Amino acid sequence: MAPKILVAPSLLACDFGRLAEEVQKVQDAGADWLHVDVMDGHFVPNLTIGPAVVEAIRKVSRVPLDVHLMLNHPEQYLRPFIDAGAAYLTVHVEAPGLRNESGLLKALADIRAAGARAGLSLRPRTSAQALKPFVQAVDLLLVMSVEPGFGGQAFMPEVVPKVQQLRQWFPGDIAVDGGINRDTGREMREAGANVLVAGTYVFKARSYQDAIQSLRA
Ligand code: DX5
Ligand code: ZN
């Protein structure tokens, strides 16, 4: 059975000055998860938020927090983000601090041992093959459909076959992240993705509810 279609608005595009209100509003509009982008200024050329802010979000949220670590050294921050309330914690297969296959497997096992679901992500130019050794060790694959670092970029259609390939190997949750709107979301659902992460499309919409519903339909 195909996994359920889920919508995970990315808080990166919300009004951070009214964070608690935005969380409330997007949940009331039907968000299944909340996607939280964590950037270190090294793995990607941008800085965002840390565990203290995740904890603040957790206090006002009632849906799972899907925390996406875009860090050179995610291994140093697994525990802090899980303690802060991450239900899903995703690391990048390219993170230099995880070094090799055994480093990656250790991080994924550590996430699960700490009580969270383990996610693995890849940049648009990394092949699906790079994730193959890990499909037994993860709960979520997060396919980047833009170069990570910023919201509001254009969807890269070349990732569509990658999602199709990953769906052959992995029965769990496959999320797509970057440039997702009604049209690219449909394309990704058809390719086999079941979790749609969307920042700009949801938070810049006049109606969060209409935007979320259009991703699910
Ligand atoms: C980019 C982030 C995305 C981003 C998506 O590095 O991982 O989650 O917020 O934003 P949109 O939906 O605007 O492309
Ligand atoms: Zn993300």
Side-chain angles (χ1 to χ4, degrees):
M1 206 181 82
K4 195 175 169 241
I5 302 294
L6 300 171
V7 178
S10 169
L11 292 171
L12 190 60
C14 85
D15 178 353
F16 279 108
R18 300 168 35 245
L19 184 54
E21 239 176 276
E22 291 277 69
V23 166
Q24 199 60 53
K25 206 173 141 194
V26 84
Q27 286 181 156
D28 291 345
D32 296 292
W33 297 354
L34 294 174
H35 185 85
V36 182
D37 288 304
V38 176
M39 306 185 187
D40 66 355
H42 297 281
F43 185 76
V44 291
N46 195 5
L47 283 164
T48 54
I49 72 178
V53 177
V54 172
E55 199 179 330
I57 296 167
R58 176 72 276 176
K59 284 188 181 142
V60 292
S61 67
R62 56 174 190 267
V63 299
L65 299 186
D66 167 34
V67 177
H68 177 191
L69 299 181
M70 286 160 273
L71 308 176
N72 269 354
H73 287 282
E75 74 284 0
Q76 299 175 1
Y77 298 98
L78 303 178
R79 194 81 230 191
F81 280 103
I82 293 168
D83 289 346
Y88 289 79
L89 193 58
T90 294
V91 298
H92 265 265
V93 70
E94 307 90 352
L98 302 179
R99 297 199 351 238
N100 52 30
E101 190 170 322
S102 69
L104 273 151
L105 287 168
K106 182 179 184 311
L108 297 167
D110 286 348
I111 293 169
R112 285 176 159 180
R117 304 274 171 97
L120 191 58
S121 186
L122 78 179
R123 293 180 182 273
R125 269 177 277 281
T126 302
S127 77
Q129 200 65 38
L131 298 193
K132 205 173 181 191
F134 308 105
V135 293
Q136 307 284 350
V138 296
D139 304 291
L140 169 72
L141 297 177
L142 177 66
V143 178
M144 291 305 304
S145 38
V146 298
E147 205 46 66
F150 300 91
Q153 304 180 77
F155 177 78
M156 299 169 70
E158 54 268 42
V159 304
V160 172
K162 192 149 74 176
V163 171
Q164 289 166 335
Q165 177 63 267
L166 290 169
R167 187 44 93 198
Q168 306 287 310
W169 302 333
F170 186 67
D173 288 318
I174 298 183
V176 288
D177 185 8
I180 298 298
N181 57 35
R182 192 183 56 170
D183 299 328
T184 58
R186 187 194 315 110
E187 220 180 318
M188 287 307 226
R189 284 198 323 263
E190 284 167 5
N194 71 297
V195 182
L196 302 179
V197 176
T200 306
Y201 181 65
V202 171
F203 284 101
K204 307 295 177 230
R206 192 167 307 161
S207 159
Y208 295 178
Q209 188 170 357
D210 290 351
I212 289 170
Q213 246 158 30
S214 75
L215 291 171
R216 228 190 288 281

